[in-house]
Amino acid sequence: MITGKQLVSAAIWLPAAAALLCYLWRSYKGRNLVVWASGVVLAACSIGLYLTGPFNYQPGEIAGLSWNTVISTADFALLALILLIGIKRRHILIIMLALFQAALLIYFDAVLGGGELEPGPAFVIDHLSIIMALVINIVGSLICIYGVKYIGEHEDQHSGQTSATSWLSSHSGSRQPRFMFWLVIFLGAMNGLVFADNLYWMYFFWEVTTFCSFQLIGHDLSEEAIANACRALWINSLGGTAFALALVVLVRYGGGDYLSIQYLLIHGAGPGMTMIMLATALLVLAGMTKSAQLPFQSWLLGAMVAPTPVSALLHSSTMVKAGVYLILRLAPVYIGTYLSDIIAIAGGFTFLVTSILAVSQSNAKRVLAYSTIANLGLIIACAGINTPAAISAAIILIIFHAVSKGLLFLCTGFVEHRIGSRNIEDMEGLADRMPLTTIIFTVGIISMFLPPFGMLVGKWAALEAAAHLPLAALFMVMGSAVTALFWIKWLGRMLEGNPGEVQSGLEPMAINYKASLIGLAAGAVLLGILVIPLIRSLVMPAVSQYYSSPGLNTAAQSIVIGNSGLFAVWPWFVLLLIIMVSARLLYDPKKTKSAPVYLCGENSSSTSYTSTGEQSIQPALSSYYFDGFLGEARWTPTVNSLAVLIIMVLLGVTVL
């Protein structure tokens, strides 16, 4: 019988082995086989961990060396690589941050002896880490399966190849093996991060995700890609520096036991332990950089230059979740403090501002990027509100956001390859040209903000929990209203019909794409229908282990009951199905008659009108993006300054 310890080992080491095979096996079929097989095994491992339940795990020695020694050596090796990158790119910030982190680790190891401390089991697999493992290994594996096919087409387009099957052949110049190496190995790093109880071990996995991100963002080797990869590296290294400094503070002022997250959660930072609270604030700051909260959002926005699977995996469903995971994990430490209130306000502020900035975007991936930052801010706001109900809402949002946003990124990448654009305006009439993709795309969009899907359940719970913190509640209400604006605008462009451009039958779609897109779409629907069992079996146990109550009460299988009302789930799915079927029966695009556009004036032709000065003007239909009033260039410096002020307060309240 497979034990929990074996499942943990497989979840961490299997991606490393699969990544190596992807790199060495220089054929598409070989990589595809490896990714499919490893994805199935990783998904099974995460389900096995759920069935096994919480447990602790301390690995033994390796080749006569303690794992602490191996981790310490790997830390310095990784920092040396980052330093070399900084020197090669002549990037002073990367160089300085790498040297500062190295100095902190030398002090931590040589002076404090932190590298050899064993405050408890290295890995603690509890309900929250199991939830994260399910997200990483199921959603992440589907994205990797998509990535095998996508990166071949991406490379063909960038190299100017025209053959529909040329991507199947392996050639010496191909970077596909390298891409899949970094994409797959990232899953193992994320598993190690969410399983780690020793903060020193978590720091190592934290930095591995940073390095993987750098490699993947710069994959195309264009000047823009390299510049954005370097930006991601130095901003995340800033968070890594805050993490390393927190390790030093914890051991210096609290002792080696405080390297254990479980010990920190139990003992917290009582009266007279200001430095422990400061270390907690530094860890929160590290989480904010990783999750691209204001003013650190530029690295995630720049990362959209990377191939779409990178956006879907690292920058939507997993890597950025590492940041909110750490902040959520530490929530019991700062409960009832001013720090908690500032975290709630910081998250709510990011949610509102980035939702507004998303309205001005016509680039689909930038809309998704801003939406991702916004929803991460909402999760962090829930962690700051720090009641059982708020923590429950945060976990619900983590699960459903990963599924829905991963789906939306993958749909965007697929559409971009087919129409040659990621501009929302160019997706007009997509329902007629790519009906199957549009159906899947529509499921992804409506699952982000409409009933009866799980994201709305999470927001509903978050708003109820925010009632005692009016400013955070105001940010949530306003941000949610703005969110509906850009989603509806995007959905409208896709569903708008173009008579005469109707696809005969469903568009062809490779098996890798079908498995990933249909799998995630089905997951969004199924999890929404089963939201009550999901809350009971996953969310409530995760909250109850550290709080006095599970936060949400449940009655019948179809009802979520909060403090101020109830929310029926399954009737909405029935109504949605009726609407979709009725719409298809009532609307047949092949029978729709087209008529010339009425131009409200004297027409100079059937497609233009006469304006002042007797000029013939060709009209253009497009959505309005308020880019003059809500544009990034206008507001980003101001909101970043306000965010810096909030962070200064966040750190300041811990030492006052």
Side-chain angles (χ1 to χ4, degrees):
M1 181 178 178
I2 299 177
T3 65
K5 296 178 180 180
Q6 291 171 327
L7 292 173
V8 170
S9 298
I12 296 173
W13 287 107
L14 177 60
L20 189 60
L21 282 174
C22 285
Y23 185 78
L24 296 175
W25 202 339
R26 298 272 163 165
S27 73
Y28 167 79
K29 291 183 178 179
R31 286 192 299 274
N32 196 39
L33 176 62
V34 169
V35 172
W36 273 90
S38 61
V40 171
V41 175
L42 285 174
C45 284
S46 60
I47 295 172
L49 287 172
Y50 166 70
L51 296 175
T52 301
F55 63 93
N56 300 339
Y57 174 37
Q58 177 62 49
E61 293 184 344
I62 176 172
L65 297 174
S66 71
W67 273 105
N68 275 8
T69 301
V70 174
I71 291 291
S72 181
T73 303
D75 273 329
F76 284 106
L78 192 56
L79 286 174
L81 286 174
I82 294 174
L83 179 61
L84 289 174
I85 290 170
I87 294 172
K88 180 180 179 181
R89 300 298 174 189
R90 298 180 181 179
H91 201 294
I92 188 64
L93 284 173
I94 294 176
I95 294 171
M96 291 177 62
L97 289 169
L99 289 174
F100 189 35
Q101 283 189 72
L104 287 171
L105 290 188
I106 290 172
Y107 179 78
F108 180 80
D109 279 342
V111 178
L112 300 178
E116 294 302 319
L117 293 174
E118 294 186 0
F123 297 122
V124 172
I125 291 76
D126 63 3
H127 295 288
L128 181 57
S129 57
I130 289 172
I131 290 172
M132 293 299 298
L134 287 166
V135 170
I136 293 163
N137 294 309
I138 296 177
V139 177
S141 294
L142 286 172
I143 293 171
C144 287
I145 289 170
Y146 173 101
V148 179
K149 171 70 173 175
Y150 179 94
I151 196 59
E153 294 184 353
H154 177 84
E155 191 171 89
D156 283 353
Q157 290 184 357
H158 278 251
S159 62
Q161 297 176 4
T162 57
S163 171
T165 58
S166 60
W167 59 273
L168 281 170
S169 62
S170 178
H171 50 84
S172 59
S174 175
R175 291 170 58 80
Q176 296 175 46
R178 178 187 177 281
F179 179 85
M180 292 308 303
F181 172 86
W182 291 111
L183 199 68
V184 173
I185 203 171
F186 179 82
L187 298 180
M190 276 299 302
N191 282 325
L193 191 154
V194 300
F195 293 153
D197 182 67
N198 187 326
L199 283 167
Y200 188 49
W201 287 46
M202 180 183 283
Y203 169 78
F204 166 70
F205 292 113
W206 188 272
E207 290 299 279
V208 171
T209 64
T210 294
F211 191 71
C212 289
S213 179
F214 168 79
Q215 295 291 344
L216 288 165
I217 294 171
H219 172 78
D220 288 337
L221 297 180
S222 66
E223 291 185 8
E224 182 184 13
I226 292 172
N228 287 322
C230 288
R231 181 190 295 123
L233 184 58
W234 81 257
I235 291 179
N236 279 284
S237 292
L238 182 64
T241 301
F243 202 128
L245 184 57
L247 296 179
V248 170
V249 173
L250 284 171
V251 176
R252 173 69 177 80
Y253 293 96
D257 287 339
Y258 274 92
L259 286 179
S260 167
I261 294 177
Q262 297 302 310
Y263 185 91
L264 185 59
L265 294 178
I266 294 171
H267 294 84
M273 301 188 71
T274 301
M275 299 307 292
I276 303 301
M277 187 59 72
L278 175 61
T280 303
L282 288 169
L283 291 172
V284 169
L285 178 61
M288 292 178 70
T289 60
K290 185 74 78 176
S291 55
Q293 298 297 283
L294 294 176
F296 309 112
Q297 78 279 12
S298 62
W299 81 261
L300 182 60
L301 295 170
M304 294 302 113
V305 71
T308 294
V310 179
S311 304
L313 181 64
L314 276 68
H315 307 131
S316 175
S317 58
T318 51
M319 175 174 167
V320 290
K321 292 297 194 302
V324 295
Y325 166 78
L326 179 60
I327 295 172
L328 193 63
R329 169 66 77 190
L330 296 174
V333 179
Y334 53 78
I335 188 171
T337 65
Y338 287 117
L339 175 61
S340 192
D341 293 338
I342 297 300
I343 292 171
I345 292 171
F349 179 70
T350 295
F351 175 59
L352 172 61
V353 169
T354 50
S355 294
I356 293 173
L357 291 176
V359 175
S360 67
Q361 303 300 310
S362 60
N363 183 309
K365 286 185 74 173
R366 288 187 75 84
V367 173
L368 295 177
Y370 271 119
S371 172
T372 294
I373 299 167
N375 282 281
L376 296 172
L378 181 58
I379 296 169
I380 289 174
C382 290
I385 293 168
N386 217 345
T387 62
I391 300 300
S392 297
I395 297 174
I396 294 171
L397 290 169
I398 286 175
I399 297 170
F400 284 96
H401 179 262
V403 176
S404 297
K405 192 57 66 65
L407 172 62
L408 288 172
F409 268 110
L410 298 188
C411 284
T412 299
F414 182 75
V415 170
E416 181 185 1
H417 274 184
R418 296 303 177 270
I419 69 174
S421 173
R422 63 178 63 163
N423 192 305
I424 292 173
E425 294 302 308
D426 294 328
M427 297 182 189
E428 181 181 2
L430 195 68
D432 292 335
R433 291 177 285 166
M434 301 173 64
L436 176 59
T437 305
T438 303
I439 293 172
I440 298 172
F441 221 142
T442 300
V443 170
I445 290 178
I446 65 176
S447 69
M448 284 297 299
F449 77 109
L450 286 180
F453 292 92
M455 281 295 292
L456 189 67
V457 174
K459 289 182 178 179
W460 180 289
L463 286 172
E464 285 193 359
H468 76 283
L469 196 58
L471 184 57
L474 178 63
F475 287 153
M476 289 182 182
V477 171
M478 295 175 64
S480 296
V482 175
T483 295
L485 178 59
F486 62 76
W487 287 132
I488 290 173
K489 179 169 58 178
W490 190 350
L491 191 60
R493 299 306 287 173
M494 289 197 307
L495 298 182
E496 187 176 18
N498 284 328
E501 296 185 19
V502 180
Q503 168 80 24
S504 58
L506 301 179
E507 68 275 20
M509 187 180 290
I511 185 63
N512 288 50
Y513 291 149
K514 283 184 179 179
S516 301
L517 297 180
I518 296 177
L520 288 173
V525 174
L526 187 61
L527 290 176
I529 295 174
L530 300 177
V531 65
I532 296 303
L534 179 75
I535 291 173
R536 285 177 171 169
S537 61
L538 289 176
V539 178
M540 286 186 172
V543 177
S544 297
Q545 62 187 343
Y546 299 114
Y547 291 83
S548 58
S549 70
L552 296 175
N553 300 314
T554 59
Q557 284 292 319
S558 58
I559 304 296
V560 176
I561 299 181
N563 295 325
S564 59
L566 54 83
F567 183 86
V569 178
W570 68 264
W572 286 96
F573 277 100
V574 174
L575 178 61
L576 182 64
L577 181 61
I578 292 173
I579 292 173
M580 292 176 65
V581 172
S582 300
R584 182 63 186 88
L585 293 175
L586 295 174
Y587 171 69
D588 186 349
K590 295 181 180 180
K591 297 180 180 180
T592 301
K593 296 181 179 180
S594 61
V597 177
Y598 177 60
L599 299 177
C600 305
E602 182 181 354
N603 294 4
S604 59
S605 72
S606 61
T607 59
S608 62
Y609 66 94
T610 302
S611 71
T612 56
E614 300 299 321
Q615 291 182 338
S616 179
I617 303 297
Q618 187 75 28
L621 300 177
S622 68
S623 300
Y624 194 68
Y625 291 94
F626 307 95
D627 51 347
F629 177 66
L630 300 178
E632 295 171 292
R634 179 172 184 174
W635 288 108
T636 297
T638 301
V639 297
N640 279 352
S641 298
L642 291 173
V644 169
L645 180 61
I646 292 174
I647 289 175
M648 292 173 64
V649 174
L650 183 146
L651 294 174
V653 296
T654 64
V655 296
L656 295 178

